[in-house]
């Protein structure tokens, strides 16, 4: 391997001498063929054979002569390789100046031309030094424009450089937030000021801060988190005090819990939502109220939905006027009708994939309702496909639709926002409680303190969040990660990935107060998912019936 300033051997070679040797060989072979044709035929007694030999020899002599002439002409037309190099490339290769004719003199500027012209490429060196005015620090990657000899950076050194870069980026960001940014330490460590490119202007690329630790999930070259190894899962289970058999039992119970406590009650609420509003409005003296059933979502009823929203806004406005009177604040009919209206409105938003938002990929109206109804059949979601879904518009499932894993991930967050599908007129993305804040779908850019989260992206660096992270939800292979105190402990993908990560998250909540965002695990009816497996006659009968 040659150095960057050493002339390669293929450029030092003289192609002209090689071509001259080829010409000499062609001329020699042609002359030999000619003399063989001229005098060799006399040595052959058979006249017919002698004639054939003479013709073949003369033909070979003519062909070789033509080839020699073509090679001689090619030498005159071929230019040396180094004549095609620019002056900057010749300098980098340690060669002398080019023998090409000099460029014509620049013409004089006319009065109509601007005084300032764009700088040419020769106005600055080929690669500007990373550190100007001083010797680059030990360990920095050097370029041909840097002082000193070139050196190769090992992967370990590059890893340390990236870690130092992240630390200084975080420090600079913290100082910028206080209004007193100081780039001295950053420039001293990397030789580049933040936001200034080392190639002569523009912004530099800053890699996103990725949590690093002994238990952090492995990363691919493109920054995506990959599935954890079985040994890492065993280490996490040992650290959390969870047995493998208990986890597998919890996964099966989680499938049953989703079917019995999440999907089936949700479908009951969807089918009865418009009827409860109509009944409550009739009790308050609003006869003749008609609402579009939520089961018709996805049909051509956009105008009906707009009319329904306007009518519900008018009814809820009248109810709020009555509730401002202290004497009416305990009126059960007013409260029940208001609750029915809120439930109808929130369920409409939920079936559109926006309660909470930012969790479910774009979904056509009607598909989410149809797929929830299909998954609700049976006792353990037999139709569940972790990397697929159901038919839509008489076509098989495609990647344009969310996977069943992404749908359950979204419904789990929605169930935490509205336990047992009892909705409140509040923002579902942020739920405050004495035990900590629960973020669903998105978190603020700058979050402080400990919190729980069900989010579709990695949290900010150095945050103290605990929860479930859904990654690559818009693909055929969604990944789910267990987040604890801002560090990704475990990442899974596959048939049981979502259930495994969810059960481990509930195990953590059981060990730290038995609550998640102010929701008691026993009230959510998930306590049995994280309890040690025990034999019971009830479970035996249930398993026997399923078999």
């Amino acid at each position: 391997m040659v150095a960057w300033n050493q002339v390669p051997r293929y450029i030092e070679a003289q192609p002209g001498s090689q071509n001259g040797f080829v010409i000499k060989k062609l001329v020699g072979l042609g002359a030999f063929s000619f003399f063989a044709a001229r005098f060799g035929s006399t040595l052959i007694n058979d006249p017919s054979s002698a004639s054939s030999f003479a013709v073949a020899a003369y033909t070979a002599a003519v062909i070789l002569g033509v080839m020699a002439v073509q090679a001689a002409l090619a030498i005159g037309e071929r230019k040396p390789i180094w004549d095609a190099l620019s002056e900057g490339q010749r300098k980098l290769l340690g060669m002398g100046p080019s023998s090409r004719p000099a460029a014509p003199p620049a013409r004089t500027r006319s009065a109509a031309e601007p005084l300032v012209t764009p700088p040419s490429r020769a106005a600055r060196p080929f690669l500007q030094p990373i550190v100007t005015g001083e010797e680059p620090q030990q360990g920095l990657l050097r370029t041909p424009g840097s002082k000193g000899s070139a050196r190769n950076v090992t992967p370990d050194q590059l890893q340390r450089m990236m870690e130092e870069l992240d630390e200084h980026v975080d420090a600079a960001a913290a100082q910028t937030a206080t209004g007193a940014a100081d780039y001295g330490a950053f420039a001293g460590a990397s030789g580049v000021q933040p936001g200034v490119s080392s190639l002569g202007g523009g912004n530099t690329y800053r890699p996103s801060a990725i949590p690093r630790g002994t238990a952090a999930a492995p990363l691919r070259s493109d920054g995506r988190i990959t599935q954890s190894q079985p040994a890492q899962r065993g280490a996490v289970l040992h650290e959390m005090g969870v047995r493998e058999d208990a986890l597998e039992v919890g996964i099966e119970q989680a499938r049953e819990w989703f079917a019995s406590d999440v999907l089936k009650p949700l479908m009951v609420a969807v089918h009865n939502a418009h009827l409860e509003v109509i009944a409550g409005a009739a009790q308050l003296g609003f006869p003749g109220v008609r609402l579009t059933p939520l089961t018709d979502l996805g049909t051509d009823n956009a105008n009906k939905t707009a009319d329904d929203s306007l009518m519900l806004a008018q009814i809820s406005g009248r109810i709020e006027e009555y509730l401002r009177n202290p004497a009416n604040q305990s009126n059960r009919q007013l409260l029940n009708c208001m609750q029915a209206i809120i439930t109808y409105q929130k369920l409409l938003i939920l079936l559109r994939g926006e309660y909470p938002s930012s969790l479910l990929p774009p979904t056509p109206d009607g598909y989410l309702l149809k797929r929830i109804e299909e998954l609700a059949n049976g006792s353990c979601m037999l139709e569940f496909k972790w990397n697929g879904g159901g038919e839509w518009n008489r076509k098989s499932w495609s990647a344009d639709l969310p996977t069943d894993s992404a749908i359950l991930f979204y419904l789990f967050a929605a169930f935490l926002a509205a336990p047992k599908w009892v909705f409140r007129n509040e923002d579902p993305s942020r739920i405050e409680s004495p035990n900590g804040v629960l973020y669903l779908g998105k978190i603020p850019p700058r979050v402080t303190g400990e919190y729980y989260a069900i989010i579709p992206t990695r949290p900010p660096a150095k945050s103290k969040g605990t929860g479930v992270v859904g990654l690559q939800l818009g693909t055929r292979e969604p990944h789910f990660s267990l987040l604890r105190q801002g560090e990704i402990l475990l990442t899974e993908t596959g048939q049981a990935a979502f259930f495994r990560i969810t059960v481990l998250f509930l195990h953590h909540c059981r060990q730290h107060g038995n609550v998640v965002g102010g929701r008691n695990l026993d009230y959510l009816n998930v306590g049995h998912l994280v309890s040690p497996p025990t034999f019971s006659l009830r479970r035996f009968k249930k398993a026997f019936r399923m078999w």
Side-chain angles (χ1 to χ4, degrees):
M1 182 176 181
V2 297
W4 65 271
N5 58 352
Q6 180 181 350
V7 180
R9 294 180 179 178
Y10 67 87
I11 293 184
E12 289 181 347
Q14 298 293 333
S17 61
Q18 298 178 2
N19 290 339
F21 178 71
V22 172
I23 294 174
K24 292 177 182 179
K25 291 175 62 177
L26 293 174
V27 172
L29 292 174
F32 176 78
S33 300
F34 175 78
F35 285 109
R38 180 68 180 83
F39 302 104
S41 59
T42 59
L43 301 178
I44 302 175
N45 297 326
D46 188 5
S48 60
S49 301
S51 177
S52 302
F53 176 78
V55 172
Y58 278 123
T59 303
V62 172
I63 294 175
L64 292 172
V66 173
M67 294 176 61
V69 173
Q70 291 180 347
L73 295 176
I75 293 179
E77 296 178 355
R78 182 175 299 177
K79 296 181 180 180
I81 298 176
W82 51 84
D83 284 352
L85 301 178
S86 64
E87 294 297 333
Q89 293 172 340
R90 296 176 67 87
K91 291 180 181 180
L92 288 175
L93 294 173
M95 302 174 61
S98 175
S99 59
R100 290 181 297 179
R107 62 183 181 86
T108 58
R109 182 183 59 83
S110 62
E113 294 178 349
L115 293 175
V116 180
T117 58
S120 62
R121 292 181 60 87
R124 62 173 186 262
F126 177 66
L127 278 178
Q128 292 185 356
I130 293 181
V131 181
T132 58
E134 60 180 358
E135 183 71 10
Q137 297 182 5
Q138 185 71 12
L140 292 180
L141 179 64
R142 306 192 182 190
T143 65
S146 303
K147 297 181 179 180
S149 61
R151 65 176 297 186
N152 295 325
V153 179
T154 63
D156 294 338
Q157 293 174 342
L158 181 60
Q159 180 73 12
R160 290 196 297 270
M161 291 167 57
M162 296 298 294
E163 293 177 355
E164 294 177 0
L165 178 62
D166 287 341
E167 293 177 0
H168 290 294
V169 168
D170 296 338
Q175 293 177 353
T176 304
T178 59
D182 181 14
Y183 299 122
F186 185 92
S190 64
V192 184
Q193 291 185 354
V196 180
S197 173
S198 63
L199 300 180
N203 295 329
T204 57
Y205 169 76
R206 295 180 179 177
S208 59
I210 300 174
R212 294 185 174 89
T214 56
L219 297 175
R220 297 194 327 191
S221 58
D222 57 1
R224 291 187 177 184
I225 296 180
T226 60
Q227 184 176 7
S228 302
Q229 298 297 326
Q232 185 175 354
R233 182 200 303 175
V236 172
L237 294 181
H238 178 73
E239 181 182 356
M240 298 182 63
V242 180
R243 300 199 316 267
E244 185 71 29
D245 59 341
L247 179 60
E248 295 302 324
V249 172
I251 290 174
E252 296 301 324
Q253 292 178 341
R255 294 174 64 100
E256 299 175 3
W257 175 79
F258 264 97
S260 61
D261 289 39
V262 178
L263 300 179
K264 292 182 183 298
L266 177 59
M267 291 308 305
V268 173
V270 167
H271 283 281
N272 298 333
H274 69 290
L275 299 177
E276 293 182 359
V277 174
I278 294 174
Q283 293 179 357
L284 296 179
F286 296 98
V289 174
R290 294 292 182 268
L291 279 179
T292 304
L294 293 177
T295 52
D296 294 342
L297 185 66
T299 59
D300 298 332
N301 57 357
N303 295 331
K304 294 182 180 180
T305 303
D307 295 340
D308 293 344
S309 299
L310 180 61
M311 180 184 59
L312 292 178
Q314 294 176 351
I315 296 177
S316 60
R318 294 288 301 273
I319 294 177
E320 289 176 357
E321 292 180 1
Y322 285 112
L323 291 178
R324 291 191 184 98
N325 186 352
N328 297 328
Q329 292 181 358
S330 59
N331 189 317
R332 298 305 307 173
Q333 293 181 347
L334 294 174
L335 297 177
N336 292 338
C337 185
M338 177 61 76
Q339 182 61 43
I341 293 175
I342 293 175
T343 300
Y344 183 90
Q345 293 173 334
K346 298 300 182 181
L347 284 174
L348 181 62
I349 299 174
L350 185 148
L351 295 177
R352 290 175 178 172
E354 300 175 356
Y355 188 90
S357 61
S358 305
L359 280 178
L360 194 66
T363 306
D365 290 341
Y367 175 78
L368 185 59
L369 173 62
K370 174 179 176 296
R371 192 54 183 166
I372 292 175
E373 190 170 10
E374 292 173 351
L375 293 175
N377 292 329
S379 59
C380 57
M381 298 187 301
L382 294 177
E383 297 293 329
F384 174 77
K385 301 176 183 177
W386 75 275
N387 58 351
E391 296 183 353
W392 179 244
N393 288 337
R394 298 180 181 180
K395 295 181 180 179
S396 302
W397 184 89
S398 64
D400 297 332
L401 302 172
T403 61
D404 291 348
S405 298
I407 292 177
L408 292 187
F409 177 70
Y410 165 73
L411 292 179
F412 179 63
F415 189 80
L416 293 179
K420 299 185 178 182
W421 304 122
V422 178
F423 296 89
R424 297 182 180 180
N425 197 17
E426 60 183 12
D427 182 15
S429 63
R430 178 186 173 94
I431 300 175
E432 297 186 2
S433 67
N435 304 98
V437 182
L438 173 62
Y439 293 105
L440 300 174
K442 55 185 177 181
I443 57 178
R446 298 187 181 184
V447 57
T448 59
E450 298 183 0
Y451 62 91
Y452 291 94
I454 308 295
I455 51 179
T457 57
R458 282 175 285 181
K462 297 183 178 180
S463 63
K464 297 182 179 179
T466 300
V468 180
V469 181
L471 302 172
Q472 306 176 32
L473 297 177
T475 66
R476 293 176 180 268
E477 295 185 1
H479 288 60
F480 299 94
S481 299
L482 176 63
L483 181 69
R484 187 183 68 179
Q485 294 294 309
E487 182 181 17
I488 293 181
L489 295 182
L490 189 65
T491 300
E492 295 282 347
T493 184
Q495 180 72 17
F498 168 71
F499 302 105
R500 181 177 291 108
I501 296 299
T502 301
V503 171
L504 288 176
F505 168 65
L506 296 176
H507 268 284
H508 175 84
C509 296
R510 168 73 82 180
Q511 298 168 359
H512 296 79
N514 200 43
V515 293
V516 49
R519 275 75 167 139
N520 188 279
L521 298 187
D522 295 331
Y523 176 74
L524 299 175
N525 197 24
V526 295
H528 63 287
L529 305 184
V530 293
S531 300
T534 56
F535 175 81
S536 64
L537 184 61
R538 178 183 177 184
R539 287 192 56 83
F540 177 78
K541 292 181 178 180
K542 185 175 182 180
F544 182 77
R545 287 197 302 268
M546 293 177 58
W547 181 80

Short mmCIF file of all heavy atoms in Angstrom, two decimals, residues 178-215:
data_model
loop_
_atom_site.label_atom_id
_atom_site.label_comp_id
_atom_site.label_asym_id
_atom_site.label_seq_id
_atom_site.Cartn_x
_atom_site.Cartn_y
_atom_site.Cartn_z
N THR A 178 -28.74 28.02 28.98
CA THR A 178 -28.59 29.04 30.01
C THR A 178 -28.19 30.38 29.43
O THR A 178 -28.11 31.37 30.16
CB THR A 178 -27.55 28.60 31.04
OG1 THR A 178 -26.30 28.39 30.37
CG2 THR A 178 -27.97 27.30 31.70
N GLY A 179 -27.93 30.45 28.12
CA GLY A 179 -27.58 31.71 27.50
C GLY A 179 -26.12 32.06 27.58
O GLY A 179 -25.72 33.17 27.25
N ALA A 180 -25.26 31.14 28.00
CA ALA A 180 -23.84 31.44 28.14
C ALA A 180 -23.03 30.30 27.57
O ALA A 180 -22.35 29.57 28.28
CB ALA A 180 -23.47 31.69 29.60
N ALA A 181 -23.14 30.11 26.28
CA ALA A 181 -22.43 29.01 25.64
C ALA A 181 -20.96 29.36 25.51
O ALA A 181 -20.59 30.46 25.15
CB ALA A 181 -23.03 28.73 24.26
N ASP A 182 -20.12 28.38 25.79
CA ASP A 182 -18.68 28.54 25.67
C ASP A 182 -18.16 27.34 24.91
O ASP A 182 -18.23 26.22 25.38
CB ASP A 182 -18.03 28.63 27.05
CG ASP A 182 -16.52 28.82 26.95
OD1 ASP A 182 -16.05 29.14 25.83
OD2 ASP A 182 -15.84 28.63 27.97
N TYR A 183 -17.62 27.58 23.71
CA TYR A 183 -17.15 26.51 22.86
C TYR A 183 -15.66 26.25 23.03
O TYR A 183 -15.07 25.55 22.22
CB TYR A 183 -17.43 26.83 21.40
CG TYR A 183 -18.89 27.00 21.09
CD1 TYR A 183 -19.38 28.18 20.54
CD2 TYR A 183 -19.78 25.99 21.38
CE1 TYR A 183 -20.73 28.33 20.27
CE2 TYR A 183 -21.13 26.12 21.11
CZ TYR A 183 -21.59 27.30 20.55
OH TYR A 183 -22.92 27.44 20.27
N GLY A 184 -15.06 26.80 24.03
CA GLY A 184 -13.63 26.62 24.19
C GLY A 184 -13.27 25.17 24.43
O GLY A 184 -12.39 24.62 23.78
N ALA A 185 -13.95 24.52 25.37
CA ALA A 185 -13.64 23.13 25.68
C ALA A 185 -13.95 22.22 24.50
O ALA A 185 -13.24 21.29 24.19
CB ALA A 185 -14.42 22.67 26.92
N PHE A 186 -15.06 22.54 23.81
CA PHE A 186 -15.43 21.70 22.66
C PHE A 186 -14.39 21.81 21.56
O PHE A 186 -13.96 20.83 21.00
CB PHE A 186 -16.81 22.16 22.14
CG PHE A 186 -17.34 21.29 21.05
CD1 PHE A 186 -18.16 20.23 21.36
CD2 PHE A 186 -17.02 21.54 19.73
CE1 PHE A 186 -18.66 19.42 20.36
CE2 PHE A 186 -17.50 20.74 18.74
CZ PHE A 186 -18.34 19.68 19.06
N ALA A 187 -13.97 23.04 21.23
CA ALA A 187 -12.99 23.22 20.17
C ALA A 187 -11.65 22.63 20.54
O ALA A 187 -10.91 22.14 19.70
CB ALA A 187 -12.84 24.71 19.85
N GLY A 188 -11.30 22.66 21.83
CA GLY A 188 -10.03 22.10 22.24
C GLY A 188 -9.99 20.60 22.12
O GLY A 188 -8.93 20.02 21.92
N ALA A 189 -11.15 19.93 22.24
CA ALA A 189 -11.17 18.47 22.19
C ALA A 189 -11.29 17.94 20.78
O ALA A 189 -10.74 16.92 20.44
CB ALA A 189 -12.33 17.94 23.04
N SER A 190 -12.04 18.64 19.93
CA SER A 190 -12.25 18.11 18.59
C SER A 190 -11.62 18.95 17.50
O SER A 190 -11.49 18.51 16.37
CB SER A 190 -13.76 18.00 18.31
OG SER A 190 -14.34 19.28 18.33
N GLY A 191 -11.26 20.19 17.80
CA GLY A 191 -10.66 21.03 16.78
C GLY A 191 -11.65 21.67 15.85
O GLY A 191 -11.27 22.37 14.92
N VAL A 192 -12.95 21.48 16.06
CA VAL A 192 -13.97 22.05 15.20
C VAL A 192 -14.98 22.76 16.07
O VAL A 192 -15.45 22.21 17.05
CB VAL A 192 -14.68 20.94 14.37
CG1 VAL A 192 -15.67 21.56 13.41
CG2 VAL A 192 -13.65 20.12 13.61
N GLN A 193 -15.31 23.99 15.73
CA GLN A 193 -16.33 24.69 16.48
C GLN A 193 -17.70 24.17 16.10
O GLN A 193 -17.92 23.78 14.95
CB GLN A 193 -16.25 26.19 16.18
CG GLN A 193 -14.99 26.86 16.74
CD GLN A 193 -15.01 28.34 16.52
OE1 GLN A 193 -15.90 28.86 15.87
NE2 GLN A 193 -14.05 29.02 17.07
N PRO A 194 -18.66 24.15 17.04
CA PRO A 194 -19.99 23.64 16.72
C PRO A 194 -20.64 24.43 15.61
O PRO A 194 -20.62 25.66 15.61
CB PRO A 194 -20.76 23.79 18.04
CG PRO A 194 -19.71 23.83 19.08
CD PRO A 194 -18.52 24.51 18.45
N GLY A 195 -21.22 23.72 14.63
CA GLY A 195 -21.92 24.37 13.54
C GLY A 195 -21.03 24.85 12.43
O GLY A 195 -21.50 25.44 11.47
N VAL A 196 -19.69 24.65 12.51
CA VAL A 196 -18.78 25.11 11.48
C VAL A 196 -18.13 23.90 10.84
O VAL A 196 -17.59 23.04 11.52
CB VAL A 196 -17.70 26.05 12.06
CG1 VAL A 196 -16.75 26.50 10.96
CG2 VAL A 196 -18.36 27.25 12.71
N SER A 197 -18.20 23.82 9.53
CA SER A 197 -17.65 22.68 8.83
C SER A 197 -16.15 22.82 8.67
O SER A 197 -15.63 23.91 8.52
CB SER A 197 -18.31 22.55 7.45
OG SER A 197 -17.67 21.55 6.71
N SER A 198 -15.44 21.68 8.74
CA SER A 198 -14.01 21.68 8.53
C SER A 198 -13.65 21.67 7.07
O SER A 198 -12.48 21.69 6.72
CB SER A 198 -13.40 20.44 9.20
OG SER A 198 -13.91 19.28 8.60
N LEU A 199 -14.63 21.65 6.18
CA LEU A 199 -14.37 21.64 4.75
C LEU A 199 -14.68 22.97 4.11
O LEU A 199 -14.96 23.06 2.93
CB LEU A 199 -15.19 20.53 4.07
CG LEU A 199 -14.91 19.12 4.58
CD1 LEU A 199 -15.78 18.13 3.84
CD2 LEU A 199 -13.44 18.77 4.38
N GLY A 200 -14.67 24.02 4.88
CA GLY A 200 -14.78 25.35 4.28
C GLY A 200 -16.15 25.95 4.33
O GLY A 200 -16.52 26.68 3.44
N GLY A 201 -16.97 25.70 5.33
CA GLY A 201 -18.25 26.37 5.47
C GLY A 201 -19.38 25.39 5.59
O GLY A 201 -19.27 24.21 5.31
N GLY A 202 -20.56 25.89 6.03
CA GLY A 202 -21.72 25.04 6.20
C GLY A 202 -21.76 24.41 7.58
O GLY A 202 -20.85 24.54 8.39
N ASN A 203 -22.86 23.72 7.86
CA ASN A 203 -23.05 23.09 9.16
C ASN A 203 -22.47 21.69 9.15
O ASN A 203 -22.51 21.00 8.15
CB ASN A 203 -24.54 23.03 9.51
CG ASN A 203 -25.12 24.43 9.69
OD1 ASN A 203 -24.41 25.33 10.13
ND2 ASN A 203 -26.39 24.60 9.35
N THR A 204 -21.95 21.28 10.26
CA THR A 204 -21.41 19.94 10.40
C THR A 204 -22.51 18.99 10.82
O THR A 204 -23.49 19.37 11.44
CB THR A 204 -20.29 19.91 11.44
OG1 THR A 204 -20.81 20.41 12.68
CG2 THR A 204 -19.12 20.77 11.00
N TYR A 205 -22.37 17.72 10.48
CA TYR A 205 -23.32 16.69 10.89
C TYR A 205 -22.99 16.26 12.30
O TYR A 205 -21.86 15.90 12.61
CB TYR A 205 -23.24 15.49 9.95
CG TYR A 205 -24.01 14.31 10.47
CD1 TYR A 205 -25.39 14.27 10.40
CD2 TYR A 205 -23.35 13.24 11.06
CE1 TYR A 205 -26.10 13.20 10.88
CE2 TYR A 205 -24.05 12.16 11.54
CZ TYR A 205 -25.42 12.15 11.45
OH TYR A 205 -26.11 11.07 11.94
N ARG A 206 -24.00 16.30 13.16
CA ARG A 206 -23.83 15.86 14.54
C ARG A 206 -24.64 14.59 14.74
O ARG A 206 -25.84 14.59 14.53
CB ARG A 206 -24.31 16.93 15.53
CG ARG A 206 -23.48 18.20 15.49
CD ARG A 206 -24.03 19.21 16.48
NE ARG A 206 -23.25 20.42 16.49
CZ ARG A 206 -23.55 21.50 17.22
NH1 ARG A 206 -24.61 21.48 17.98
NH2 ARG A 206 -22.79 22.56 17.17
N PRO A 207 -24.01 13.52 15.12
CA PRO A 207 -24.77 12.28 15.34
C PRO A 207 -25.71 12.43 16.51
O PRO A 207 -25.40 13.14 17.49
CB PRO A 207 -23.67 11.25 15.62
CG PRO A 207 -22.51 12.04 16.11
CD PRO A 207 -22.58 13.38 15.40
N SER A 208 -26.88 11.79 16.42
CA SER A 208 -27.85 11.86 17.51
C SER A 208 -27.30 11.16 18.74
O SER A 208 -26.58 10.17 18.65
CB SER A 208 -29.17 11.20 17.09
OG SER A 208 -28.94 9.86 16.74
N ALA A 209 -27.65 11.69 19.89
CA ALA A 209 -27.18 11.11 21.14
C ALA A 209 -27.85 9.77 21.36
O ALA A 209 -29.08 9.66 21.36
CB ALA A 209 -27.48 12.05 22.30
N ILE A 210 -27.08 8.73 21.50
CA ILE A 210 -27.60 7.38 21.68
C ILE A 210 -27.20 6.89 23.06
O ILE A 210 -26.03 6.98 23.43
CB ILE A 210 -27.04 6.43 20.62
CG1 ILE A 210 -27.44 6.94 19.23
CG2 ILE A 210 -27.52 5.01 20.82
CD1 ILE A 210 -26.81 6.17 18.11
N PRO A 211 -28.12 6.42 23.88
CA PRO A 211 -27.73 5.92 25.20
C PRO A 211 -26.73 4.80 25.08
O PRO A 211 -26.92 3.85 24.33
CB PRO A 211 -29.06 5.42 25.79
CG PRO A 211 -30.12 6.11 25.00
CD PRO A 211 -29.55 6.31 23.64
N ARG A 212 -25.65 4.91 25.82
CA ARG A 212 -24.61 3.89 25.81
C ARG A 212 -24.43 3.36 27.22
O ARG A 212 -24.40 4.13 28.18
CB ARG A 212 -23.28 4.46 25.31
CG ARG A 212 -23.33 4.89 23.84
CD ARG A 212 -21.95 5.33 23.39
NE ARG A 212 -21.92 5.60 21.98
CZ ARG A 212 -22.19 6.78 21.44
NH1 ARG A 212 -22.51 7.78 22.23
NH2 ARG A 212 -22.14 6.96 20.15
N GLY A 213 -24.31 2.09 27.34
CA GLY A 213 -24.13 1.49 28.65
C GLY A 213 -23.86 0.02 28.50
O GLY A 213 -23.86 -0.55 27.41
N THR A 214 -23.66 -0.63 29.62
CA THR A 214 -23.33 -2.05 29.58
C THR A 214 -24.50 -2.88 29.08
O THR A 214 -24.31 -3.94 28.49
CB THR A 214 -22.93 -2.52 30.98
OG1 THR A 214 -24.00 -2.21 31.89
CG2 THR A 214 -21.66 -1.81 31.42
N ALA A 215 -25.73 -2.40 29.29
CA ALA A 215 -26.90 -3.17 28.89
C ALA A 215 -27.62 -2.55 27.72
O ALA A 215 -28.73 -2.93 27.41
CB ALA A 215 -27.88 -3.31 30.07
#
